[in-house]
Amino acid sequence: MKKLLAILVSAAMIFALAATSFAGEAAPTWADYQQYLIDTAGSNAPDLQEFIDQVMAIESWEALDQTVSPWDQMFTTIGLSTWEEFAQGIVKEAQVPSGENMGGGDSAEGESAEGESPEDSAEAPAEDAAPAEGESAEGGAEGESAGDSAGESKSDEDLMPLQNEEDGSALPPILETSFTGTKLAYPRFASYVNEDVAADINDDVSWHNGAIYFDGAEHTIEGKNIIMNTTADGKDTNDFSGLGAAVLTAGAGTKVNIINSNIETTGVAKLAVFTDNGGVTVIKGSTLKTNSGTIYEGYMSTADQAVMVAPPWVLGLGGPACNTRTSNIMGNYSVVATADSTFVAGGWGALSTDSGSNMHMVVANCDVEVIDSGYGAYTIGQSTEDYYGVRENVSTYVNIMTGGVATYASYVGGTVLPVEQYAGEVNEYGTGINGTVVAEIVSDKVAEGEVVPSVLNSANFGFMCHSNGSDGWNIVNVLEGTEVNTGDAIFLVKKVNSIFNVDGAVLNSANGTILQIIDNDDDYVGLDMAATWGEDNGYGHANGSHMPTFNSTFHEEAGYANEWAVNETPVENNWTSELNITNANVVGDVWNSSGYVGSNPATTLTVNIGEGASLTGLISAGAFSHVIKDAKVNDGDWSEAAALGHVTNIVNSNGKNIVNVNVAAGAVWNVTADCAIDALTVAEGGQVVVAEGVTLTVAGAPYDAAAVAPAPEAPAAPEAPEAPAAPAAEASDDDVAAYQAYLYEFIQAECAVNDSMTEEQLPEFYACIDALNFNQFPGDMFFGGYFVNGNAMTFDEFIASK
């Protein structure tokens, strides 16, 4: 330990952090605070090596946020000052016996060291301290006697919050130090930290947690009931930090299995499960339900995660019950995997990812429901979300996309799904690849070989894309065995990069809209820059201002966007959307009504009607008009937020909302109404059928419907060329060249018939061949997959035939 301390002091010297004592005359510096921690904690400091690593990683002390110390989380457990206290001149001394290491996970953080009475701890409240919200004057939870909640019995003092240094009153259980940028302080949580839940939990105190795990170990909660029905109004809960969550999993190496259990919470932002900072949560055969609460008076719609307890109404979400999520994932590389489970949210969201990057969620044979305004899933931070055999019933969105990949498909009984944790390597879309398998999910309730489809029902929209990073993408894969039923658009895009792949799926839109692109109606709402609301509850906001706070009204002029919002200075296109349809018969309209409002750049849309597909409906550039032109929200009730996103369209090209359509061989576009596009490509064997009386305009000129005749039948496939004469015993360079020529001719013959490979792919094919070791031709697997019906020979077969 002395050696470690010496290393730590050396690290301080490397950074030229002078060992100064705290002086009242000058403002304290980070160097002062670091030296104070070293001197006061000494050999009692929890996890010195982690502290050293953090010190070594800091390059500029001046650039650090001067409100929260990155080490408060570690050191408040032994009674040291936080940075804020230190800056105010409040200097504490360690209250841990010499040699006692509080960072080893042997006792719950926030509890007294073993053998020490609570009165001896610097964290214990004064005798006359006011009780925490929801506690009786005697210190116990209302309606409970001490020890009635889950697991091992805890004393009242263990659950009490910290003291106010000025008057000795109990501080509210505010959030204090950082986990993923949102504030979190474990010592202020009433919970069972790093202890497996030994009995049912029944706790009605709003800010209490049920179980917290962040020790880098694996834990299991099996066959338990965790019931936390409270009157939480959002003042002391936060589902961006996990404050008030029933189960919290966090940190690399930490894994929690929730098996055959029931978790139910009631209250604003009272999560059932929170997963953060690389933690892994596995949920099987369980039911998780979160019931809404009533938000405290004066709360305003904000995106400030430190205080946000309901979704910003500019998402088109709102209402008195829209304030609870069931599961939330945050931080880099966090993972949730679940099978045979049910997720129910009163309103806001059921399965969510939030601040972080490259998270992974795998869901198999599960039921997802959102009762009031809300979404089934949220995809952000280039996360990957895989849904197999999911039955979803929601009021507003199947999924809100703000950067990442969401895939929906059937689940086949007996299939074991590997669950990967990504560690930084990403593909061209910024999404994690080549991860480490940290869990495997298989349904115990689906018979071997039984196919369970995904059925996604939404009263309003399917997938809404409204944001992503400058180089990020939203990718939605709706695959075979998936049925999407919506009241409005299946896909709703607001000025972002998006790709929608529909392969073998069924899409049903009640209002007949498959894809709708509009300018982001966030721009209508805007921010209330003068908003100062709520008391400063210790969240670190000066004057109670919580920004960004959104204005409370939405207004749009009469008529369509081309009449009232024409951009006089065209904005260059910098957004791209694709709709790719294969093996599906889609009925509905596709609109690109972007490039009108404010500084919104237009989107370039490409629609590919591919192999085995048809689209019956219009595809067109357009101008939009909201169905409801005015909406106003009030404190606690954002129900009129539903006005956003619902539009009608007229055909209109503004020169920037580009639409390109490609029809593959064997595919059909049945044009049912007037429309205008910029480019149309029809492969031989593809068809464009324009209904009588309908005008299709391409690049400003009418497309003559009479001239559009069914494409001639494709010619019969030529026979594969014979292989050249056999050479000597061993394969030579000539053999390789002959095999290349054979495959080239074979590919050309096949492409002419079924478009399995295009000419544009041949250079990539040759590049692959040039790099091969021809002891065995690696391309055989590729060609076997594409040309199994064409009987293309493998390299070995080719040589043997000579």
Side-chain angles (χ1 to χ4, degrees), residues 65 68-69 73 174-186 189 237-243 274 276-277 303-309 325 328-331 354-356 539 541:
D65 180 359
V68 178
S69 162
Q73 177 180 322
I174 60 172
L175 310 173
E176 188 165 273
T177 56
S178 179
F179 226 13
T180 56
T182 309
K183 300 175 180 181
L184 180 65
Y186 289 128
F189 284 64
T237 51
N238 186 299
D239 62 4
F240 290 92
S241 69
L243 179 60
F274 181 69
D276 196 8
N277 267 22
D304 185 340
Q305 292 181 359
V307 294
M308 187 168 81
V309 292
R325 288 188 283 189
N328 194 22
I329 312 173
M330 291 182 61
D354 226 295
S355 295
Y539 292 99
H541 295 266

mmCIF file of all heavy atoms in Angstrom, residues 65 68-69 73 174-186 189 237-243 274 276-277 303-309 325 328-331 354-356 539 541:
data_model
loop_
_atom_site.group_PDB
_atom_site.id
_atom_site.type_symbol
_atom_site.label_atom_id
_atom_site.label_comp_id
_atom_site.label_asym_id
_atom_site.label_seq_id
_atom_site.Cartn_x
_atom_site.Cartn_y
_atom_site.Cartn_z
ATOM 1 N N ASP A 65 -14.420 20.163 -15.622
ATOM 2 C CA ASP A 65 -15.605 20.807 -15.058
ATOM 3 C C ASP A 65 -15.339 21.095 -13.582
ATOM 4 O O ASP A 65 -15.079 20.181 -12.806
ATOM 5 C CB ASP A 65 -16.798 19.867 -15.207
ATOM 6 C CG ASP A 65 -18.081 20.476 -14.647
ATOM 7 O OD1 ASP A 65 -18.025 21.602 -14.138
ATOM 8 O OD2 ASP A 65 -19.119 19.805 -14.740
ATOM 9 N N VAL A 68 -17.835 19.200 -10.373
ATOM 10 C CA VAL A 68 -17.916 17.825 -9.883
ATOM 11 C C VAL A 68 -16.560 17.146 -10.001
ATOM 12 O O VAL A 68 -15.958 17.124 -11.063
ATOM 13 C CB VAL A 68 -18.954 17.010 -10.696
ATOM 14 C CG1 VAL A 68 -18.990 15.570 -10.200
ATOM 15 C CG2 VAL A 68 -20.330 17.637 -10.571
ATOM 16 N N SER A 69 -16.068 16.614 -8.921
ATOM 17 C CA SER A 69 -14.804 15.893 -8.952
ATOM 18 C C SER A 69 -15.012 14.481 -9.464
ATOM 19 O O SER A 69 -15.923 13.793 -9.044
ATOM 20 C CB SER A 69 -14.207 15.825 -7.549
ATOM 21 O OG SER A 69 -13.235 14.796 -7.500
ATOM 22 N N GLN A 73 -17.086 9.991 -6.080
ATOM 23 C CA GLN A 73 -17.780 8.711 -5.921
ATOM 24 C C GLN A 73 -16.989 7.774 -5.025
ATOM 25 O O GLN A 73 -17.536 7.073 -4.189
ATOM 26 C CB GLN A 73 -18.004 8.065 -7.287
ATOM 27 C CG GLN A 73 -18.658 6.705 -7.212
ATOM 28 C CD GLN A 73 -18.849 6.114 -8.590
ATOM 29 O OE1 GLN A 73 -19.169 6.806 -9.523
ATOM 30 N NE2 GLN A 73 -18.654 4.826 -8.704
ATOM 31 N N ILE A 174 -29.976 13.692 -3.722
ATOM 32 C CA ILE A 174 -29.675 14.244 -5.037
ATOM 33 C C ILE A 174 -28.585 13.422 -5.718
ATOM 34 O O ILE A 174 -27.953 12.566 -5.109
ATOM 35 C CB ILE A 174 -29.211 15.707 -4.916
ATOM 36 C CG1 ILE A 174 -27.948 15.789 -4.041
ATOM 37 C CG2 ILE A 174 -30.295 16.576 -4.354
ATOM 38 C CD1 ILE A 174 -27.320 17.143 -4.017
ATOM 39 N N LEU A 175 -28.379 13.705 -6.994
ATOM 40 C CA LEU A 175 -27.346 13.030 -7.760
ATOM 41 C C LEU A 175 -26.076 13.868 -7.659
ATOM 42 O O LEU A 175 -26.123 15.077 -7.718
ATOM 43 C CB LEU A 175 -27.796 12.939 -9.216
ATOM 44 C CG LEU A 175 -29.205 12.394 -9.398
ATOM 45 C CD1 LEU A 175 -29.619 12.493 -10.842
ATOM 46 C CD2 LEU A 175 -29.304 10.983 -8.908
ATOM 47 N N GLU A 176 -24.934 13.206 -7.543
ATOM 48 C CA GLU A 176 -23.756 14.011 -7.261
ATOM 49 C C GLU A 176 -22.574 13.762 -8.171
ATOM 50 O O GLU A 176 -22.017 14.697 -8.707
ATOM 51 C CB GLU A 176 -23.323 13.805 -5.818
ATOM 52 C CG GLU A 176 -22.215 14.758 -5.418
ATOM 53 C CD GLU A 176 -22.039 14.799 -3.926
ATOM 54 O OE1 GLU A 176 -22.727 15.578 -3.269
ATOM 55 O OE2 GLU A 176 -21.214 14.041 -3.433
ATOM 56 N N THR A 177 -22.130 12.550 -8.384
ATOM 57 C CA THR A 177 -20.958 12.368 -9.223
ATOM 58 C C THR A 177 -21.310 11.648 -10.503
ATOM 59 O O THR A 177 -22.452 11.298 -10.738
ATOM 60 C CB THR A 177 -19.858 11.603 -8.477
ATOM 61 O OG1 THR A 177 -20.397 10.376 -8.023
ATOM 62 C CG2 THR A 177 -19.352 12.378 -7.305
ATOM 63 N N SER A 178 -20.323 11.441 -11.362
ATOM 64 C CA SER A 178 -20.620 11.071 -12.736
ATOM 65 C C SER A 178 -20.510 9.582 -13.000
ATOM 66 O O SER A 178 -19.600 8.921 -12.543
ATOM 67 C CB SER A 178 -19.668 11.813 -13.662
ATOM 68 O OG SER A 178 -19.911 11.459 -14.992
ATOM 69 N N PHE A 179 -21.476 9.078 -13.777
ATOM 70 C CA PHE A 179 -21.401 7.721 -14.296
ATOM 71 C C PHE A 179 -21.245 7.798 -15.806
ATOM 72 O O PHE A 179 -20.272 7.400 -16.377
ATOM 73 C CB PHE A 179 -22.644 6.944 -13.894
ATOM 74 C CG PHE A 179 -22.334 5.580 -13.351
ATOM 75 C CD1 PHE A 179 -21.055 5.234 -13.007
ATOM 76 C CD2 PHE A 179 -23.330 4.664 -13.165
ATOM 77 C CE1 PHE A 179 -20.763 3.985 -12.500
ATOM 78 C CE2 PHE A 179 -23.061 3.406 -12.660
ATOM 79 C CZ PHE A 179 -21.769 3.074 -12.330
ATOM 80 N N THR A 180 -22.238 8.342 -16.487
ATOM 81 C CA THR A 180 -22.124 8.534 -17.940
ATOM 82 C C THR A 180 -22.454 9.969 -18.298
ATOM 83 O O THR A 180 -23.099 10.241 -19.293
ATOM 84 C CB THR A 180 -23.088 7.604 -18.700
ATOM 85 O OG1 THR A 180 -24.405 7.849 -18.226
ATOM 86 C CG2 THR A 180 -22.745 6.164 -18.535
ATOM 87 N N GLY A 181 -22.037 10.893 -17.490
ATOM 88 C CA GLY A 181 -22.313 12.281 -17.761
ATOM 89 C C GLY A 181 -23.524 12.775 -16.982
ATOM 90 O O GLY A 181 -23.709 13.948 -16.790
ATOM 91 N N THR A 182 -24.364 11.861 -16.519
ATOM 92 C CA THR A 182 -25.458 12.228 -15.638
ATOM 93 C C THR A 182 -24.999 11.932 -14.216
ATOM 94 O O THR A 182 -24.153 11.095 -13.999
ATOM 95 C CB THR A 182 -26.708 11.409 -15.980
ATOM 96 O OG1 THR A 182 -26.936 11.526 -17.377
ATOM 97 C CG2 THR A 182 -27.911 11.927 -15.251
ATOM 98 N N LYS A 183 -25.575 12.613 -13.241
ATOM 99 C CA LYS A 183 -25.005 12.541 -11.899
ATOM 100 C C LYS A 183 -25.504 11.342 -11.106
ATOM 101 O O LYS A 183 -26.644 10.956 -11.208
ATOM 102 C CB LYS A 183 -25.328 13.832 -11.162
ATOM 103 C CG LYS A 183 -24.751 15.039 -11.866
ATOM 104 C CD LYS A 183 -25.184 16.300 -11.183
ATOM 105 C CE LYS A 183 -24.615 17.505 -11.887
ATOM 106 N NZ LYS A 183 -25.002 18.745 -11.217
ATOM 107 N N LEU A 184 -24.629 10.808 -10.304
ATOM 108 C CA LEU A 184 -24.975 9.610 -9.537
ATOM 109 C C LEU A 184 -24.056 9.484 -8.333
ATOM 110 O O LEU A 184 -22.857 9.623 -8.454
ATOM 111 C CB LEU A 184 -24.815 8.384 -10.435
ATOM 112 C CG LEU A 184 -25.128 7.026 -9.834
ATOM 113 C CD1 LEU A 184 -26.601 6.959 -9.482
ATOM 114 C CD2 LEU A 184 -24.804 5.935 -10.828
ATOM 115 N N ALA A 185 -24.622 9.258 -7.154
ATOM 116 C CA ALA A 185 -23.804 9.079 -5.954
ATOM 117 C C ALA A 185 -24.325 7.890 -5.176
ATOM 118 O O ALA A 185 -25.380 7.944 -4.575
ATOM 119 C CB ALA A 185 -23.829 10.330 -5.087
ATOM 120 N N TYR A 186 -23.583 6.804 -5.180
ATOM 121 C CA TYR A 186 -24.059 5.593 -4.527
ATOM 122 C C TYR A 186 -24.317 5.752 -3.034
ATOM 123 O O TYR A 186 -25.253 5.167 -2.515
ATOM 124 C CB TYR A 186 -23.074 4.444 -4.750
ATOM 125 C CG TYR A 186 -23.081 3.967 -6.164
ATOM 126 C CD1 TYR A 186 -21.904 3.864 -6.875
ATOM 127 C CD2 TYR A 186 -24.267 3.633 -6.798
ATOM 128 C CE1 TYR A 186 -21.916 3.437 -8.182
ATOM 129 C CE2 TYR A 186 -24.277 3.205 -8.097
ATOM 130 C CZ TYR A 186 -23.096 3.103 -8.797
ATOM 131 O OH TYR A 186 -23.107 2.689 -10.077
ATOM 132 N N PHE A 189 -27.964 6.231 -1.996
ATOM 133 C CA PHE A 189 -28.997 5.297 -2.427
ATOM 134 C C PHE A 189 -29.351 4.352 -1.276
ATOM 135 O O PHE A 189 -28.474 3.802 -0.637
ATOM 136 C CB PHE A 189 -28.491 4.440 -3.589
ATOM 137 C CG PHE A 189 -28.451 5.143 -4.903
ATOM 138 C CD1 PHE A 189 -27.627 6.229 -5.102
ATOM 139 C CD2 PHE A 189 -29.236 4.707 -5.948
ATOM 140 C CE1 PHE A 189 -27.586 6.876 -6.318
ATOM 141 C CE2 PHE A 189 -29.197 5.344 -7.178
ATOM 142 C CZ PHE A 189 -28.372 6.425 -7.355
ATOM 143 N N THR A 237 -36.099 11.164 -8.336
ATOM 144 C CA THR A 237 -35.837 9.991 -9.173
ATOM 145 C C THR A 237 -35.278 10.474 -10.502
ATOM 146 O O THR A 237 -35.511 11.623 -10.898
ATOM 147 C CB THR A 237 -37.125 9.185 -9.428
ATOM 148 O OG1 THR A 237 -38.144 10.063 -9.893
ATOM 149 C CG2 THR A 237 -37.587 8.467 -8.185
ATOM 150 N N ASN A 238 -34.544 9.613 -11.173
ATOM 151 C CA ASN A 238 -33.952 10.008 -12.452
ATOM 152 C C ASN A 238 -33.552 8.763 -13.217
ATOM 153 O O ASN A 238 -32.674 8.015 -12.784
ATOM 154 C CB ASN A 238 -32.727 10.906 -12.216
ATOM 155 C CG ASN A 238 -32.171 11.460 -13.513
ATOM 156 O OD1 ASN A 238 -31.753 10.711 -14.380
ATOM 157 N ND2 ASN A 238 -32.157 12.762 -13.630
ATOM 158 N N ASP A 239 -34.211 8.507 -14.355
ATOM 159 C CA ASP A 239 -33.904 7.275 -15.075
ATOM 160 C C ASP A 239 -32.777 7.440 -16.082
ATOM 161 O O ASP A 239 -32.530 6.557 -16.900
ATOM 162 C CB ASP A 239 -35.155 6.680 -15.727
ATOM 163 C CG ASP A 239 -35.794 7.576 -16.764
ATOM 164 O OD1 ASP A 239 -35.246 8.646 -17.050
ATOM 165 O OD2 ASP A 239 -36.843 7.187 -17.296
ATOM 166 N N PHE A 240 -32.061 8.566 -16.034
ATOM 167 C CA PHE A 240 -30.809 8.704 -16.775
ATOM 168 C C PHE A 240 -29.609 8.373 -15.892
ATOM 169 O O PHE A 240 -28.494 8.271 -16.365
ATOM 170 C CB PHE A 240 -30.653 10.133 -17.317
ATOM 171 C CG PHE A 240 -31.609 10.444 -18.420
ATOM 172 C CD1 PHE A 240 -32.834 11.009 -18.155
ATOM 173 C CD2 PHE A 240 -31.288 10.154 -19.732
ATOM 174 C CE1 PHE A 240 -33.729 11.296 -19.168
ATOM 175 C CE2 PHE A 240 -32.174 10.432 -20.762
ATOM 176 C CZ PHE A 240 -33.401 11.002 -20.475
ATOM 177 N N SER A 241 -29.846 8.250 -14.590
ATOM 178 C CA SER A 241 -28.760 7.900 -13.677
ATOM 179 C C SER A 241 -29.059 6.615 -12.922
ATOM 180 O O SER A 241 -28.175 6.017 -12.333
ATOM 181 C CB SER A 241 -28.542 9.012 -12.655
ATOM 182 O OG SER A 241 -29.646 9.061 -11.767
ATOM 183 N N GLY A 242 -30.313 6.187 -12.947
ATOM 184 C CA GLY A 242 -30.693 4.994 -12.199
ATOM 185 C C GLY A 242 -31.167 5.283 -10.800
ATOM 186 O O GLY A 242 -31.478 4.353 -10.054
ATOM 187 N N LEU A 243 -31.248 6.552 -10.418
ATOM 188 C CA LEU A 243 -31.720 6.889 -9.079
ATOM 189 C C LEU A 243 -33.189 6.505 -8.956
ATOM 190 O O LEU A 243 -34.047 7.026 -9.655
ATOM 191 C CB LEU A 243 -31.550 8.381 -8.809
ATOM 192 C CG LEU A 243 -32.026 8.878 -7.437
ATOM 193 C CD1 LEU A 243 -31.279 8.181 -6.326
ATOM 194 C CD2 LEU A 243 -31.854 10.376 -7.316
ATOM 195 N N PHE A 274 -32.048 -0.672 -14.961
ATOM 196 C CA PHE A 274 -31.118 0.313 -15.525
ATOM 197 C C PHE A 274 -29.765 -0.362 -15.741
ATOM 198 O O PHE A 274 -29.241 -1.013 -14.840
ATOM 199 C CB PHE A 274 -30.957 1.496 -14.569
ATOM 200 C CG PHE A 274 -30.041 2.592 -15.068
ATOM 201 C CD1 PHE A 274 -30.416 3.385 -16.136
ATOM 202 C CD2 PHE A 274 -28.823 2.835 -14.463
ATOM 203 C CE1 PHE A 274 -29.589 4.412 -16.597
ATOM 204 C CE2 PHE A 274 -27.983 3.843 -14.908
ATOM 205 C CZ PHE A 274 -28.370 4.640 -15.984
ATOM 206 N N ASP A 276 -25.772 0.304 -17.271
ATOM 207 C CA ASP A 276 -24.914 1.454 -17.560
ATOM 208 C C ASP A 276 -23.444 1.048 -17.643
ATOM 209 O O ASP A 276 -23.029 0.022 -17.083
ATOM 210 C CB ASP A 276 -25.104 2.493 -16.447
ATOM 211 C CG ASP A 276 -24.572 3.870 -16.817
ATOM 212 O OD1 ASP A 276 -24.196 4.076 -17.981
ATOM 213 O OD2 ASP A 276 -24.529 4.742 -15.938
ATOM 214 N N ASN A 277 -22.674 1.872 -18.362
ATOM 215 C CA ASN A 277 -21.210 1.806 -18.357
ATOM 216 C C ASN A 277 -20.638 0.414 -18.590
ATOM 217 O O ASN A 277 -19.768 -0.045 -17.860
ATOM 218 C CB ASN A 277 -20.657 2.357 -17.042
ATOM 219 C CG ASN A 277 -20.316 3.828 -17.148
ATOM 220 O OD1 ASN A 277 -20.846 4.525 -18.014
ATOM 221 N ND2 ASN A 277 -19.450 4.302 -16.283
ATOM 222 N N ALA A 303 -34.791 18.769 -22.247
ATOM 223 C CA ALA A 303 -33.901 17.671 -22.625
ATOM 224 C C ALA A 303 -32.700 17.600 -21.698
ATOM 225 O O ALA A 303 -31.731 16.892 -21.986
ATOM 226 C CB ALA A 303 -33.440 17.840 -24.068
ATOM 227 N N ASP A 304 -32.742 18.321 -20.598
ATOM 228 C CA ASP A 304 -31.671 18.299 -19.616
ATOM 229 C C ASP A 304 -31.767 16.991 -18.826
ATOM 230 O O ASP A 304 -32.654 16.803 -18.003
ATOM 231 C CB ASP A 304 -31.807 19.496 -18.672
ATOM 232 C CG ASP A 304 -30.658 19.616 -17.688
ATOM 233 O OD1 ASP A 304 -29.958 18.609 -17.465
ATOM 234 O OD2 ASP A 304 -30.461 20.712 -17.143
ATOM 235 N N GLN A 305 -30.847 16.074 -19.071
ATOM 236 C CA GLN A 305 -30.964 14.733 -18.505
ATOM 237 C C GLN A 305 -30.811 14.694 -16.989
ATOM 238 O O GLN A 305 -31.248 13.734 -16.354
ATOM 239 C CB GLN A 305 -29.930 13.807 -19.151
ATOM 240 C CG GLN A 305 -30.213 13.542 -20.606
ATOM 241 C CD GLN A 305 -29.218 12.606 -21.233
ATOM 242 O OE1 GLN A 305 -28.281 12.148 -20.581
ATOM 243 N NE2 GLN A 305 -29.402 12.312 -22.507
ATOM 244 N N ALA A 306 -30.221 15.713 -16.408
ATOM 245 C CA ALA A 306 -30.077 15.713 -14.948
ATOM 246 C C ALA A 306 -31.423 15.857 -14.258
ATOM 247 O O ALA A 306 -31.589 15.447 -13.119
ATOM 248 C CB ALA A 306 -29.141 16.835 -14.512
ATOM 249 N N VAL A 307 -32.407 16.442 -14.942
ATOM 250 C CA VAL A 307 -33.706 16.670 -14.319
ATOM 251 C C VAL A 307 -34.868 16.157 -15.167
ATOM 252 O O VAL A 307 -36.005 16.176 -14.718
ATOM 253 C CB VAL A 307 -33.925 18.177 -14.029
ATOM 254 C CG1 VAL A 307 -32.944 18.662 -12.985
ATOM 255 C CG2 VAL A 307 -33.795 18.995 -15.307
ATOM 256 N N MET A 308 -34.608 15.678 -16.373
ATOM 257 C CA MET A 308 -35.690 15.256 -17.258
ATOM 258 C C MET A 308 -36.383 14.015 -16.712
ATOM 259 O O MET A 308 -35.748 12.987 -16.507
ATOM 260 C CB MET A 308 -35.146 14.978 -18.665
ATOM 261 C CG MET A 308 -36.232 14.695 -19.677
ATOM 262 S SD MET A 308 -35.611 14.727 -21.367
ATOM 263 C CE MET A 308 -34.893 13.108 -21.489
ATOM 264 N N VAL A 309 -37.694 14.096 -16.524
ATOM 265 C CA VAL A 309 -38.459 12.959 -16.009
ATOM 266 C C VAL A 309 -39.663 12.650 -16.888
ATOM 267 O O VAL A 309 -40.578 11.931 -16.476
ATOM 268 C CB VAL A 309 -38.900 13.196 -14.547
ATOM 269 C CG1 VAL A 309 -37.697 13.201 -13.618
ATOM 270 C CG2 VAL A 309 -39.703 14.486 -14.406
ATOM 271 N N ARG A 325 -40.318 4.800 -17.851
ATOM 272 C CA ARG A 325 -39.713 3.824 -18.754
ATOM 273 C C ARG A 325 -39.455 2.532 -17.981
ATOM 274 O O ARG A 325 -39.181 2.545 -16.794
ATOM 275 C CB ARG A 325 -38.412 4.360 -19.349
ATOM 276 C CG ARG A 325 -38.641 5.446 -20.375
ATOM 277 C CD ARG A 325 -37.365 5.834 -21.097
ATOM 278 N NE ARG A 325 -36.496 6.678 -20.304
ATOM 279 C CZ ARG A 325 -35.408 7.291 -20.789
ATOM 280 N NH1 ARG A 325 -35.061 7.120 -22.052
ATOM 281 N NH2 ARG A 325 -34.670 8.054 -20.017
ATOM 282 N N ASN A 328 -33.811 1.002 -19.349
ATOM 283 C CA ASN A 328 -32.971 2.000 -20.021
ATOM 284 C C ASN A 328 -31.529 1.525 -20.004
ATOM 285 O O ASN A 328 -31.059 0.988 -18.995
ATOM 286 C CB ASN A 328 -33.088 3.368 -19.341
ATOM 287 C CG ASN A 328 -32.504 4.480 -20.194
ATOM 288 O OD1 ASN A 328 -32.380 4.337 -21.412
ATOM 289 N ND2 ASN A 328 -32.140 5.596 -19.586
ATOM 290 N N ILE A 329 -30.847 1.707 -21.130
ATOM 291 C CA ILE A 329 -29.439 1.341 -21.265
ATOM 292 C C ILE A 329 -28.649 2.597 -21.570
ATOM 293 O O ILE A 329 -29.024 3.366 -22.464
ATOM 294 C CB ILE A 329 -29.217 0.329 -22.410
ATOM 295 C CG1 ILE A 329 -30.213 -0.819 -22.333
ATOM 296 C CG2 ILE A 329 -27.792 -0.191 -22.400
ATOM 297 C CD1 ILE A 329 -30.134 -1.757 -23.545
ATOM 298 N N MET A 330 -27.550 2.812 -20.843
ATOM 299 C CA MET A 330 -26.701 3.978 -21.093
ATOM 300 C C MET A 330 -25.237 3.570 -21.032
ATOM 301 O O MET A 330 -24.907 2.444 -20.659
ATOM 302 C CB MET A 330 -27.001 5.088 -20.083
ATOM 303 C CG MET A 330 -28.374 5.712 -20.273
ATOM 304 S SD MET A 330 -28.731 7.073 -19.118
ATOM 305 C CE MET A 330 -27.438 8.248 -19.516
ATOM 306 N N GLY A 331 -24.362 4.488 -21.406
ATOM 307 C CA GLY A 331 -22.927 4.244 -21.336
ATOM 308 C C GLY A 331 -22.417 3.491 -22.545
ATOM 309 O O GLY A 331 -23.169 2.971 -23.358
ATOM 310 N N ASP A 354 -29.997 5.134 -24.322
ATOM 311 C CA ASP A 354 -29.865 6.581 -24.220
ATOM 312 C C ASP A 354 -28.395 6.952 -24.283
ATOM 313 O O ASP A 354 -27.628 6.264 -24.953
ATOM 314 C CB ASP A 354 -30.562 7.099 -22.964
ATOM 315 C CG ASP A 354 -31.401 8.329 -23.286
ATOM 316 O OD1 ASP A 354 -30.804 9.348 -23.667
ATOM 317 O OD2 ASP A 354 -32.627 8.263 -23.187
ATOM 318 N N SER A 355 -27.964 7.987 -23.595
ATOM 319 C CA SER A 355 -26.611 8.515 -23.749
ATOM 320 C C SER A 355 -25.569 7.408 -23.646
ATOM 321 O O SER A 355 -25.519 6.677 -22.663
ATOM 322 C CB SER A 355 -26.328 9.567 -22.681
ATOM 323 O OG SER A 355 -27.154 10.684 -22.864
ATOM 324 N N GLY A 356 -24.734 7.306 -24.660
ATOM 325 C CA GLY A 356 -23.713 6.269 -24.703
ATOM 326 C C GLY A 356 -23.402 5.924 -26.143
ATOM 327 O O GLY A 356 -23.806 6.640 -27.073
ATOM 328 N N TYR A 539 -28.918 19.900 -8.202
ATOM 329 C CA TYR A 539 -28.535 19.279 -9.452
ATOM 330 C C TYR A 539 -27.453 20.070 -10.174
ATOM 331 O O TYR A 539 -27.076 19.736 -11.286
ATOM 332 C CB TYR A 539 -29.753 19.133 -10.377
ATOM 333 C CG TYR A 539 -30.769 18.137 -9.893
ATOM 334 C CD1 TYR A 539 -31.901 18.549 -9.213
ATOM 335 C CD2 TYR A 539 -30.585 16.789 -10.116
ATOM 336 C CE1 TYR A 539 -32.836 17.630 -8.775
ATOM 337 C CE2 TYR A 539 -31.513 15.861 -9.677
ATOM 338 C CZ TYR A 539 -32.637 16.287 -9.000
ATOM 339 O OH TYR A 539 -33.556 15.372 -8.570
ATOM 340 N N HIS A 541 -27.565 23.352 -11.199
ATOM 341 C CA HIS A 541 -28.045 24.337 -12.162
ATOM 342 C C HIS A 541 -28.265 25.670 -11.461
ATOM 343 O O HIS A 541 -29.051 25.766 -10.531
ATOM 344 C CB HIS A 541 -29.353 23.878 -12.806
ATOM 345 C CG HIS A 541 -29.187 22.659 -13.635
ATOM 346 N ND1 HIS A 541 -28.960 22.717 -14.985
ATOM 347 C CD2 HIS A 541 -29.186 21.352 -13.316
ATOM 348 C CE1 HIS A 541 -28.847 21.486 -15.461
ATOM 349 N NE2 HIS A 541 -28.980 20.640 -14.458
#
